[in-house]
């Protein structure tokens, strides 16, 4: 999954970017800026397609409380307390405690819990504990969770040498240690189908009972999250009648069967049906998908996106997928780790119609699914680039000053301005369509063998595949890039971000924790260290130069840098293919975690002067079903006027679970 790293530009005053009277920027708080995305083409869809989207977006929004609970066992109770105070408060709303509380609530909404959506650290309230307890009469246990920094300090802890379950606040395990969980799933895998293994543990909470026995509490319509999953299933059934073809109806049927039974073989059958259903204009993801929120990389958070195919932009992605075998055959990785035959790689560019669960409000800009290795190998994968979200980011980022502040030269600025947008889109396409779909595991290798390092290694693998091929003449030949110079913009942005600018998202003294950030740091630092003396005339391939007290990244030899990317891709594919845990740990811990405190301090000071937000998320559009006297839908309308707080409060009321979990 590809997450954007472009930093937004609307000022703290809410500087508005407009296009055809559509406002992209909406609101700014803390380190976050809220944007809107436009669903171009929705009005031109048939009534059948609009109705399909309407019911699918209802199914997408019903899963919100699942994610809150997955992110932490107290999150829903805390959200209820916060929202009641926000709506009922009769005091001075300009009071410093209330203003600080309001910002805290908006952060909790944004992160689907009390921990930062990206860094995973717990928010520190800027309002007093005494004021809050007086206003809410909340239980002492809840006050401790909110205000004591030592209680549930990290949602996902990846620190080496610690029990990653006991030190993580995510709500996937109850009463078990990391060792017990790993042993439990090792036994499950040993008993299971070795050729076509299911994704063990992805849809359950692992619990140790009062008798000391460990068991799984499945997430099904009759199990945990049953009330919410029942609502999702109800809307999927309504949507099914408006599916575009019989194959898409079969996809919906399989997903419903999975939610009702929790059977992981049924989930694989659903995944196969979904990946092979490529014809429809309207498509969706709905379910327990990504495992970044579990320190062991097993449990999957709930997410959904409903989307519309961008027919014109999809031609770019289709060109890549049609040439997937060419790229695989010429990959710099060892032949024994390449796929002899790339199967079923489909790709498209989409417009998001609704975001839900772990894709809302913060979302990915590209998705490649399914995650099952054997399903991908035998049936292929489906990749998407989300065009209207990247467009919204680009509009919001115009004029931020980031490019000028952190670029080494006018030539670097020219390259990024001229080619940055086209290479960003192509990088996402390559990452999702070909990168994640490339390579293979050797027979008998456990897909989860890299454990806590698996997500970082997988994202680095996909990024390196994209970076390596962005510099290939083949992309010019395919008319995907305008000329051979364009790739330099992507290389500049990769090195600037991995070595410097992503550090603006991290607090002083902290290390890098999030998988995508570790990936970018790993690539950039490995290339920097291993490129010393290997450029033209014995120069370093990459330099960190100082000028007027500021540090800049300088690339001295782009071709040599491409070779370095290829060399690292080869090693990372070996680690992935062989399940080399020690190799993964060495790469990530050496290059992807630690931060130079002096450089970090400098970057933060320079960034602060720009007054821009390092994180962005989206406010969803609102869909309304227009019905006749018989209750039949005659039209579905879309509007973009709902505010951030209004949307969050409406979702909490309209899509509320019964909390009997």
């Amino acid at each position: 999954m590809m997450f954007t790293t472009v930093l937004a530009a609307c000022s703290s005053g809410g500087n508005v970017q407009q296009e055809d009277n559509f406002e992209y920027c909406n609101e700014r708080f803390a380190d976050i800026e809220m944007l809107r995305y436009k669903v171009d083409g929705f009005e031109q869809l048939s009534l059948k397609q609009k109705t399909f989207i309407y019911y699918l977006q209802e199914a997408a929004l019903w899963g919100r409380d699942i994610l809150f609970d997955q992110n932490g066992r107290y999150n829903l109770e805390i959200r209820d307390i916060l929202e009641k105070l926000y709506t009922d408060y009769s005091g001075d709303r300009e009071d410093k405690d209330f203003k600080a509380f309001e910002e805290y609530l908006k952060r909790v909404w944004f992160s689907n819990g009390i921990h930062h959506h990206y860094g995973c650290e717990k928010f520190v309230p800027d309002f007093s504990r005494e004021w809050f307890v007086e206003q809410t009469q909340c239980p002492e246990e809840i006050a401790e969770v909110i205000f004591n920094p030592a209680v549930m300090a990290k949602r996902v802890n990846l620190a080496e040498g610690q029990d990653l379950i006991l030190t993580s606040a995510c709500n996937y395990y109850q009463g078990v240690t990391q060792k017990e969980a790993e042993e439990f799933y090792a036994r499950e895998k040993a008993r299971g189908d070795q050729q076509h293994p299911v994704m063990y543990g992805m849809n359950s909470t692992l619990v140790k009972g009062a008798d000391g026995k460990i068991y799984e509490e499945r997430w099904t319509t009759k199990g945990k999250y049953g009330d919410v999953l029942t609502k999702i299933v109800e809307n999927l059934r309504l949507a099914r009648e408006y599916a575009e073809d019989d194959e898409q109806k079969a996809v919906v049927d399989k997903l419903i069967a999975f939610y009702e039974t929790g059977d992981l073989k049924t989930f694989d059958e659903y995944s196969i049906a979904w990946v092979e259903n490529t014809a429809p204009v309207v498509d969706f993801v709905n379910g327990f998908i990504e495992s970044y929120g579990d320190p062991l990389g097993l449990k999957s958070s709930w997410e959904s996106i409903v989307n519309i195919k961008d027919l014109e932009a999809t031609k770019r992605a289709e060109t890549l997928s049609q040439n997937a075998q060419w790229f695989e055959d010429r990959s710099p990785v060892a032949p024994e780790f390449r796929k002899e035959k790339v199967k079923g790689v489909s790709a498209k560019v989409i417009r998001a119609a609704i975001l839900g669960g772990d894709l809302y409000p913060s979302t990915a800009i590209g998705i490649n699914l399914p995650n099952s290795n054997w399903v991908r190998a035998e049936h292929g994968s489906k990749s998407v680039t989300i065009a209207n979200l990247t467009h919204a980011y680009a509009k919001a980022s115009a004029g931020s000053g980031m490019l000028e502040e952190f670029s080494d030269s006018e030539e670097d600025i020219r390259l990024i301005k001229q080619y940055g947008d086209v290479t960003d889109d192509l990088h996402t396409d390559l990452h999702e369509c070909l990168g994640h779909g490339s390579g293979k595991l050797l027979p008998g290798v456990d897909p989860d063998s890299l454990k806590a390092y698996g997500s970082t290694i997988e994202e680095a693998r996909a990024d390196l595949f994209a970076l390596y091929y962005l510099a290939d003449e083949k992309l010019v030949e395919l008319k995907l890039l305008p000329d051979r110079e364009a790739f330099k913009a992507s290389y500049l942005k990769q090195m600037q971000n991995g070595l410097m600018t992503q550090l603006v998202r991290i607090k002083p003294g902290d290390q890098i924790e999030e998988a995508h950030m570790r990936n970018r740091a790993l690539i950039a630092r490995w290339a920097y260290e291993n490129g010393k003396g290997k450029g033209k005339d014995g120069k370093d391939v990459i330099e960190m130069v100082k000028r007027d007290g500021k540090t800049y990244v300088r690339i001295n030899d782009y071709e040599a840098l491409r070779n370095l990317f290829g060399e690292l891709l080869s090693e990372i594919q070996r680690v992935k293919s062989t399940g080399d845990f020690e190799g993964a740990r060495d790469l990530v811990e050496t290059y992807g975690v630690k931060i130079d405190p002096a450089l970090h301090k400098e970057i933060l000071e320079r960034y602060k002067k720009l007054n821009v937000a390092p994180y962005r998320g989206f406010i969803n559009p609102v869909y309304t079903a227009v019905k006749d006297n018989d209750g039949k839908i005659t039209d579905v309308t879309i509007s973009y006027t709902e505010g951030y707080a209004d949307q969050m409060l409406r979702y909490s009321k309209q899509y509320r679970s019964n909390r009997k979990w």
Side-chain angles (χ1 to χ4, degrees):
M1 186 174 288
M2 186 78 173
F3 286 85
T4 185
T5 60
V6 179
L7 297 170
C10 286
S11 70
S12 57
N15 186 27
V16 174
Q17 302 290 325
Q18 291 189 332
E19 182 182 89
D20 299 328
N21 297 318
F22 182 84
E23 296 183 0
Y24 285 94
C25 297
N26 177 265
E27 183 177 347
R28 165 90 180 265
F29 56 89
D31 57 355
I32 296 162
E33 178 181 60
M34 298 305 302
L35 308 177
R36 297 187 188 277
Y37 60 95
K38 191 175 183 182
V39 190
D40 286 318
F42 176 78
E43 289 82 357
Q44 285 71 51
L45 296 175
S46 68
L47 177 58
K48 181 180 179 181
Q49 290 170 319
K50 288 181 180 179
T51 308
F52 190 46
I53 288 175
Y54 176 77
Y55 286 121
L56 287 175
Q57 65 94 31
E58 286 293 296
L61 297 177
W62 265 108
R64 180 171 179 250
D65 278 6
I66 295 177
L67 181 66
F68 265 89
D69 187 72
Q70 288 178 320
N71 284 346
R73 59 179 293 213
Y74 295 100
N75 280 336
L76 287 170
E77 186 175 355
I78 290 172
R79 193 187 76 192
D80 285 348
I81 293 169
L82 298 177
E83 289 178 346
K84 182 171 177 27
L85 174 56
Y86 182 76
T87 56
D88 295 355
Y89 187 68
S90 59
D92 181 5
R93 289 183 173 253
E94 296 302 315
D95 175 77
K96 65 179 181 63
D97 275 322
F98 185 83
K99 296 300 288 184
F101 156 76
E102 183 178 29
E103 180 174 283
Y104 179 84
L105 171 58
K106 289 179 178 181
R107 297 185 75 183
V108 170
W109 280 334
F110 188 87
S111 295
N112 296 287
I114 62 173
H115 297 86
H116 197 282
H117 73 288
Y118 213 71
C120 294
E121 71 277 5
K122 190 168 73 173
F123 303 134
V124 179
D126 288 329
F127 50 92
S128 74
R129 181 168 180 163
E130 293 73 22
W131 175 86
F132 182 73
V133 171
E134 180 183 353
Q135 298 298 325
T136 63
Q137 305 301 309
C138 75
E140 178 63 21
E141 182 181 17
I142 297 297
E144 272 291 287
V145 172
I146 294 174
F147 290 95
N148 188 337
V151 176
M152 305 180 78
K154 297 278 293 189
R155 176 169 61 85
V156 180
N157 178 39
L158 297 176
E160 186 180 20
Q162 298 182 18
D163 186 308
L164 302 185
I165 288 180
L166 297 182
T167 57
S168 294
C170 57
N171 193 23
Y172 294 118
Y173 304 92
Q174 293 179 11
V176 300
T177 65
Q178 178 179 348
K179 183 174 184 292
E180 288 172 330
E182 290 175 345
E183 289 175 347
F184 178 89
Y185 286 112
R187 291 192 296 269
E188 290 291 301
K189 291 174 183 179
R191 288 194 292 262
D193 185 336
Q194 302 302 305
Q195 187 175 0
H196 298 125
V198 297
M199 297 180 68
Y200 294 95
M202 61 161 277
N203 65 331
S204 66
T205 305
L206 192 65
V207 179
K208 180 186 284 187
D211 58 0
K213 293 182 179 180
I214 297 175
Y215 64 94
E216 288 185 310
E217 187 178 8
R218 288 284 176 90
W219 308 330
T220 71
T221 54
K222 295 179 178 64
K224 188 171 184 179
Y225 306 134
D227 62 319
V228 172
L229 293 173
T230 297
K231 286 291 188 181
I232 292 171
V233 165
E234 288 174 1
N235 282 282
L236 288 174
R237 284 203 170 96
L238 291 168
R240 180 192 184 278
E241 301 309 308
Y242 302 92
E244 293 191 39
D245 55 35
D246 289 341
E247 289 75 17
Q248 192 168 52
K249 288 182 179 180
V251 170
V252 177
D253 289 340
K254 283 294 183 183
L255 180 56
I256 289 172
F258 167 66
Y259 278 143
E260 290 180 334
T261 66
D263 182 73
L264 292 174
K265 289 185 177 180
T266 302
F267 182 78
D268 284 345
E269 293 169 1
Y270 153 73
S271 298
I272 293 166
W274 177 81
V275 81
E276 293 179 347
N277 182 228
T278 59
V281 172
V282 178
D283 200 0
F284 70 100
V285 171
N286 184 297
F288 304 108
I289 307 297
E290 301 292 352
S291 58
Y292 301 107
D294 175 11
L296 301 190
L298 297 172
K299 308 296 179 182
S300 296
S301 59
W302 192 92
E303 68 178 47
S304 184
I305 179 172
V306 184
N307 58 81
I308 305 166
K309 186 186 292 186
D310 185 326
L311 297 177
E312 183 59 34
T314 291
K315 294 176 183 177
R316 180 186 73 226
E318 287 176 340
T319 298
L320 287 177
S321 63
Q322 290 162 4
N323 287 274
Q325 193 67 57
W326 186 95
F327 289 99
E328 183 76 1
D329 291 344
R330 290 159 181 79
S331 170
V333 308
E336 61 266 31
F337 305 140
R338 298 182 200 147
K339 286 180 177 173
E340 295 83 2
K341 185 173 179 56
V342 178
K343 296 181 180 179
V345 176
S346 66
K348 59 184 176 180
V349 178
I350 63 171
R351 302 186 188 104
I354 204 74
L355 304 170
D358 211 10
L359 290 173
Y360 170 83
S362 177
T363 190
I365 57 171
I367 300 171
N368 179 277
L369 294 172
N371 288 324
S372 169
N373 282 282
W374 78 262
V375 173
R376 296 165 72 89
E378 296 187 16
H379 299 274
S381 60
K382 191 186 288 185
S383 302
V384 298
T385 301
I386 312 174
N388 57 339
L389 301 188
T390 58
H391 184 70
Y393 283 135
K395 283 291 180 182
S397 297
S400 69
M402 283 287 295
L403 177 59
E404 291 77 11
E405 176 61 36
F406 290 101
S407 292
D408 178 49
S409 66
E410 290 298 323
E411 173 62 8
D412 288 356
I413 294 172
R414 179 193 71 81
L415 285 167
I416 293 174
K417 283 186 174 180
Q418 183 173 349
Y419 299 115
D421 288 347
V422 66
T423 55
D424 280 351
D425 286 343
L426 193 53
H427 182 277
T428 303
D429 290 344
L430 285 163
H431 174 108
E432 298 294 349
C433 176
L434 302 184
H436 281 308
S438 67
K440 66 178 182 181
L441 297 182
L442 293 185
V445 172
D446 182 353
D448 301 316
S449 58
L450 303 185
K451 300 180 182 178
Y453 301 106
S455 294
T456 297
I457 292 297
E458 177 57 25
E459 292 303 321
R461 193 176 72 91
D463 259 354
L464 285 162
F465 195 99
L467 289 164
Y468 181 78
Y469 278 115
L470 273 166
D472 200 291
E473 185 69 33
K474 183 71 171 179
L475 297 187
V476 180
E477 176 190 320
L478 294 173
K479 297 183 171 31
L480 297 174
L481 285 180
D483 54 56
R484 186 66 169 72
E485 184 184 45
F487 81 92
K488 294 179 180 179
S490 185
Y491 280 28
L492 281 166
K493 294 177 79 171
Q494 165 65 38
M495 297 309 297
Q496 286 177 2
N497 192 45
L499 290 172
M500 294 198 310
T501 55
Q502 74 168 358
L503 299 181
V504 304
R505 296 179 164 190
I506 299 175
K507 294 179 180 178
D510 287 354
Q511 295 186 333
I512 302 173
E513 295 269 0
E514 200 276 334
H516 295 82
M517 295 182 73
R518 283 184 165 191
N519 144 47
R520 292 188 285 269
L522 189 165
I523 292 172
R525 291 174 180 174
W526 187 96
Y528 172 71
E529 294 292 343
N530 287 273
K532 290 181 177 178
K534 295 182 180 179
K536 295 175 184 175
D537 303 321
K539 286 186 176 181
D540 294 346
V541 175
I542 305 122
E543 286 185 272
M544 299 285 281
V545 298
K546 279 275 194 179
R547 188 171 63 252
D548 300 325
K550 295 181 178 181
T551 305
Y552 299 92
V553 174
R554 180 178 298 168
I555 299 176
N556 292 319
D557 191 333
Y558 284 92
E559 295 300 331
L561 181 53
R562 188 202 184 198
N563 292 335
L564 287 169
F565 288 152
E567 185 180 339
L568 181 56
L569 173 59
S570 178
E571 173 59 11
I572 281 186
Q573 183 63 63
R574 183 199 66 78
V575 167
K576 171 90 174 181
S577 294
T578 62
D580 181 2
F581 174 80
E582 293 300 329
R585 179 168 63 183
D586 183 60
L587 282 169
V588 176
E589 294 292 341
T590 302
Y591 299 103
V593 176
K594 300 176 180 63
I595 297 174
D596 178 343
L599 176 62
H600 192 195
K601 182 174 183 290
E602 176 202 322
I603 298 301
L604 290 174
E605 289 173 351
R606 292 164 65 182
Y607 179 73
K608 185 177 181 180
K609 295 176 183 177
L610 298 175
N611 192 31
V612 296
Y615 299 100
R616 289 122 308 157
F618 289 98
I619 301 170
N620 277 325
V622 178
Y623 295 89
T624 303
V626 180
K627 299 181 179 181
D628 62 17
N629 292 334
D630 296 324
K632 183 179 180 181
I633 294 178
T634 58
D635 194 13
V636 178
T637 63
I638 185 171
S639 66
Y640 303 97
T641 57
E642 189 169 42
Y644 175 62
D646 291 335
Q647 184 159 104
M648 291 296 179
L649 290 170
R650 179 171 67 86
Y651 284 0
S652 293
K653 181 179 180 180
Q654 189 170 340
Y655 304 101
R656 180 183 175 84
S657 60
N658 64 23
R659 316 297 171 84
K660 295 177 181 178
W661 302 334

